[in-house]
Amino acid sequence: MSDSEEEESPDRQLKLVVLGDGTTGKTSLATRFAQETFGKQYKQTLGLDFFLKRILLPGNLNVTLQVWDVGGQTIGGKMLDKYIYGAQGILLVYDITNGQSFENLEDWYNVVKKVNEGSETQPLVALVGNKIDLEHIRTVKADKHQRFCQENNFSSHFVSAKTGDSVFLCFQRIAADILGIKLNKAELEQSQNVVRAELVKYPEEDHQHHTSNCQSKVCSMQ
Ligand SMILES: Nc1nc2c(ncn2[C@@H]2O[C@H](COP(=O)(O)OP(=O)(O)OP(=O)(O)O)[C@@H](O)[C@H]2O)c(=O)[nH]1
């Protein structure tokens, strides 16, 4: 196979459906991912919004993600089943400061299960705790989130649509999981918007005694 043939692998298309209660931040998450913007003003989604974004996965694989942003008020409505139908990935979104939005995911997941009953292929389901910029007023404990994931075999994500923290990473991991692609550590780290650095201060006199191995300490922190 020539180089140019290798480069031009055809796009894969994936349908991802974003579900969860109103005001949990589904539209914000989709717009942060697809348009890299965030609006503070709440505007209720009536029915459905739709976003497209092309990403590149390892192996030069272009993937077009169709993100179906479903309004929180659609639960119980007759269109919801149609929105979910054919999805390869489902994002179950809750607000970490709103316990009810977490409890209600059970109902959203029940609709997903019903739509896919008897189907040979099941969608990958991701549990997404949004608004981690509001960690100080979190009400849904992380272990509750993890338990829900383990019980149902969901992938686990914590994001902030407001700051953008881990949003791209979340969609990238979901797409890679669906396609059975393994992301290496460097690729995962590159997708994380927030850079965490630890500051370590050594006492003055101690520092003088340890100048010879000081360099290795600095290296291990980077
Ligand atoms: N602090 C904070 N606020 C957020 C975040 N994401 C969304 N919001 C705010 O939460 C409110 C609701 O966000 P939306 O994205 O409209 O919520 P939604 O889930 O799409 O709501 P429906 O359309 O009713 O289903 C808005 O005021 C957003 O600005 C976040 O990560 N952090």
Side-chain angles (χ1 to χ4, degrees):
M1 192 190 274
S2 76
D3 274 359
S4 62
E5 269 174 311
E6 246 177 323
E7 277 161 22
E8 283 172 23
S9 66
D11 273 28
R12 293 290 305 262
Q13 292 252 0
L14 296 179
K15 174 179 174 179
L16 305 181
V17 178
V18 189
L19 302 175
D21 278 7
T23 78
T24 51
K26 300 178 297 299
T27 303
S28 305
L29 202 60
T31 50
R32 165 63 72 192
F33 171 62
Q35 300 162 352
E36 291 167 37
T37 55
F38 176 78
K40 270 202 191 124
Q41 204 89 42
Y42 171 50
K43 194 170 157 280
Q44 191 181 80
T45 303
L46 299 172
L48 178 78
D49 272 340
F50 189 77
F51 299 84
L52 277 179
K53 171 110 174 167
R54 196 171 188 230
I55 65 169
L56 188 65
L57 287 178
N60 234 1
L61 189 65
N62 280 305
V63 184
T64 300
L65 301 184
Q66 299 175 1
V67 182
W68 296 51
D69 165 29
V70 174
Q73 310 309 318
T74 52
I75 194 146
K78 55 178 188 294
M79 290 306 287
L80 183 58
D81 291 14
K82 295 182 173 54
Y83 298 153
I84 293 171
Y85 183 81
Q88 282 114 328
I90 302 281
L91 283 76
L92 294 179
V93 181
Y94 71 97
D95 169 354
I96 64 157
T97 73
N98 175 348
Q100 196 59 53
S101 73
F102 178 79
E103 302 300 331
N104 289 346
L105 286 183
E106 198 78 54
D107 296 338
W108 287 99
Y109 185 45
N110 283 336
V111 183
V112 174
K113 284 194 285 195
K114 201 187 84 207
V115 171
N116 290 287
E117 229 167 39
S119 158
E120 262 178 40
T121 53
Q122 294 295 318
L124 179 138
V125 182
L127 181 62
V128 184
N130 186 34
K131 309 198 185 181
I132 52 166
D133 56 293
L134 301 177
E135 179 65 44
H136 55 292
I137 50 167
R138 173 199 278 269
T139 56
V140 181
K141 292 218 174 83
D143 61 349
K144 238 177 155 182
H145 169 114
Q146 300 302 357
R147 213 176 316 132
F148 194 31
C149 287
Q150 280 155 11
E151 283 166 3
N152 297 286
N153 210 15
F154 298 155
S155 66
S156 163
H157 309 261
F158 287 106
V159 299
S160 167
K162 184 175 182 179
T163 64
D165 191 357
S166 301
V167 172
F168 186 80
L169 177 67
C170 168
F171 282 93
Q172 185 195 37
R173 273 180 52 205
I174 291 167
D177 280 355
I178 293 171
L179 296 169
I181 294 168
K182 255 194 139 29
L183 298 171
N184 65 33
K185 206 164 165 248
E187 283 148 358
L188 290 170
E189 274 168 11
Q190 208 179 21
S191 311
Q192 220 150 6
N193 274 355
V194 176
V195 178
R196 291 184 187 87
E198 257 180 84
L199 283 181
V200 180
K201 197 165 178 251
Y202 295 103
E204 238 358 83
E205 75 264 31
D206 211 40
H207 177 73
Q208 278 162 8
H209 290 137
H210 291 94
T211 39
S212 59
N213 60 11
C214 178
Q215 217 179 357
S216 66
K217 278 180 185 161
V218 173
C219 287
S220 69
M221 285 187 288
Q222 283 173 339

